[in-house]
Amino acid sequence: QVQLVESGGGLVHPGGSLRLSCAASGSIFSPYDMGWYRQRPGKQRESVANISSDGGYGNYADSVKGRFTISRDNDKDTVYLQMHSLKLEDSAVYYCFYHERYSDYVDWGQGTQVSLSS
């Protein structure tokens, strides 16, 4: 089993920035992908960004392209989401996920709240 611990959420004004982190620990087996989903009030959980096991490429939702950057540090088994130019509609609970390629095992973090307030 894998444990995912997220941090970095908080309250920010529109136009501001935040950096989310998600550290994985436990029975980690490479290769594994990691990424972020978010869930806004009254909405379904949606993909925000994900990154390949070697960190070579990332995929982004259209709504965050050009504003968010995903990265990872495999020495620390940690994935990051740098968020710039935040908008009111970015307010959500952000969830980190972990996906092992060969076993197809998936696990989720507990979520971290990102709130935008003008």
Side-chain angles (χ1 to χ4, degrees):
Q1 193 170 3
V2 173
Q3 293 77 45
L4 300 172
V5 178
E6 298 143 337
S7 60
L11 177 65
V12 65
H13 293 304
S17 299
L18 280 175
R19 187 194 195 208
L20 306 183
S21 300
C22 174
S25 62
S27 301
I28 297 170
F29 294 97
S30 297
Y32 62 91
D33 301 321
M34 293 187 78
W36 297 89
Y37 275 65
R38 69 185 180 187
Q39 189 163 18
R40 293 178 279 186
K43 303 286 188 181
Q44 288 190 326
R45 194 175 292 193
E46 60 180 356
S47 177
V48 176
N50 59 75
I51 189 166
S52 59
S53 58
D54 63 359
Y57 62 88
N59 294 306
Y60 298 90
D62 287 343
S63 59
V64 306
K65 281 181 182 176
R67 300 188 297 122
F68 292 10
T69 302
I70 190 169
S71 61
R72 63 190 288 168
D73 182 340
N74 284 345
D75 290 337
K76 298 180 180 178
D77 295 317
T78 298
V79 65
Y80 305 96
L81 186 68
Q82 179 67 57
M83 305 184 291
H84 293 299
S85 303
L86 283 161
K87 303 176 181 180
L88 290 173
E89 54 263 40
D90 293 319
S91 290
V93 178
Y94 285 70
Y95 296 91
C96 168
F97 76 86
Y98 163 97
H99 171 235
E100 287 178 4
R101 294 272 194 87
Y102 295 151
S103 68
D104 211 26
Y105 171 83
V106 177
D107 216 325
W108 294 87
Q110 79 284 359
T112 185
Q113 178 72 50
V114 171
S115 297
L116 275 290
S117 175
S118 57

